[in-house]
Structures are given as structure tokens and as C-alpha cells.
Amino acid sequence: MAPKCIIFDCDGTLVDSEYLTNAVISQMAGELGIEMTAEDATKTFGGKTLDAVMYTMRELSGKEIPPDWLPRLITKVSETYKTNLIPMDGIKEVLENISIPICVASNGEPRHVKGSLIITGLIDYFGDKIYTASDVGIPKPAPDLFLYASKKMNVKPTHSRLAVPPSLKQKKCNFFIMMGIPMFLWIV
């Protein structure tokens, strides 16, 4: 059956943000006594929520995180995005050639996701069809967000496709397929 909707993740699928975010996280980890490279942070935090970052930082440091640490992290990441955030290579061409409805479903904070799409010039492809884990209260890999996005787009989950970059681990793809959410690997 041909899909009636394509659901895109944001970070690492639409915008090239994961390394930028994790470079800032690795720099700020030093404040907590944690030595971490940007590559280490990407392996540890790629695709994770801010809550997961905070939890892991507490675990790694063995102490409570200062109350101003997270707001400063968000500010530094936002500043980095303003000058360095770009769309994923080839994604504009992919979006221009899609003739069915599309939306975004991301673990990111709503203002972060929208801001990323504005900075990279991708917002016009999605308009207000941006859904986040905040909408459902549980982040990926739980299927709730994708099921919610399908419902908001007025399509059955089996009639939508989840667009993921080729780098996504096959194990995650198999999980979503088992949950009744077909996958679409975009390759440019």
C-alpha cells in the first residue's frame, strides 16, 4: 500500500544538529568534572531528551547538577545553532519531491524543533505539523509519538511511513516495524 503520510524526525534527519548539540554538551560536561569528547557525547546522548542528558550527567558526576547548568546549555546550543546549523545534506531535494502530507515527530523541545526548522529554512515544508514528545509525555523509542502524529495527520499508522536517516540502527527500525509503523529509509 502506498503511504499517505511521511513522518520525519528532526535532529539528524532534517537538520544536522546532533554533533553541534553534543559538542556543547561535552564542553559543559567539564564543569561537572566529566571528561567527554564531542564524539563520546554523540554516542551517549544522540537522540536523547534533555531529561536523559541531565540524568546521565548526574550519574556520571555522582552529584546534583547546578540549577543554572541546563538553562546555560540550552542557551549555548541555541547560539551555536544560529551560526552553524544546516539542513541535512540532500533533505531539501527529498522534501521538494514528496507529494503526500508530511510532518515532524521529534523528542526535541517544541521551541527547539521549530527554531531548528526556521534557521535551516525547512519550516515552510511543515507549517504547524510539528509534534514532540511533550505532546504525548513519553519520548521515543516508545511508539506513542508516531502514533499521535499519524492521528493528527488523519492517517492510520500503517498508512504512514517514518522517515529515518540511513545511519539509524537496524534494531530500531525492526522495533518500529513490529509496532506497526512502517519505515522509509531516505538515501540521497
Side-chain angles (χ1 to χ4, degrees):
M1 171 181 291
K4 296 182 180 178
C5 174
I6 299 177
I7 303 170
F8 286 88
D9 191 4
C10 187
D11 298 308
T13 301
L14 294 172
V15 300
D16 198 0
S17 59
E18 291 210 0
Y19 186 82
L20 296 175
T21 300
N22 290 306
V24 174
I25 290 172
S26 69
Q27 292 167 358
M28 289 189 61
E31 296 176 14
L32 306 173
I34 302 167
E35 287 188 32
M36 179 180 286
T37 65
E39 290 78 15
D40 294 336
T42 299
K43 287 177 189 169
T44 304
F45 302 116
K48 300 285 194 280
T49 63
L50 287 175
D51 287 341
V53 171
M54 293 296 288
Y55 176 83
T56 303
M57 288 299 185
R58 274 192 300 276
E59 292 293 308
L60 292 173
S61 70
K63 56 188 172 188
E64 285 301 311
I65 307 303
D68 70 329
W69 193 86
L70 181 59
R72 288 186 304 106
L73 173 70
I74 291 168
T75 298
K76 286 182 179 188
V77 168
S78 295
E79 290 168 0
T80 300
Y81 282 10
K82 288 176 187 173
T83 56
N84 296 307
L85 187 64
I86 59 174
M88 291 298 288
D89 190 33
I91 195 62
K92 284 188 178 182
E93 292 80 10
V94 170
L95 295 172
E96 287 169 5
N97 288 296
I98 295 175
S99 59
I100 60 175
I102 60 174
C103 68
V104 177
S106 173
N107 273 349
E109 296 293 317
R111 67 185 171 126
H112 159 81
V113 175
K114 187 173 183 179
S116 296
L117 296 174
I118 290 170
I119 289 169
T120 57
L122 300 178
I123 191 72
D124 291 339
Y125 293 103
F126 299 98
D128 64 351
K129 294 175 180 70
I130 301 168
Y131 312 108
T132 68
S134 301
D135 294 319
V136 295
I138 185 168
K140 300 176 294 181
D144 303 52
L145 178 56
F146 301 113
L147 298 172
Y148 176 79
S150 291
K151 182 177 180 180
K152 294 297 278 185
M153 296 299 290
N154 295 314
V155 296
K156 293 179 182 176
T158 54
H159 294 173
S160 61
R161 297 294 182 270
L162 176 60
V164 296
S167 61
L168 187 69
K169 295 180 178 126
Q170 185 63 40
K171 183 177 175 182
K172 285 187 180 178
C173 291
N174 289 340
F175 171 77
F176 286 115
I177 291 168
M178 286 177 3
M179 295 302 296
I181 303 170
M183 305 298 289
F184 163 73
L185 294 172
W186 63 267
I187 301 171
V188 182

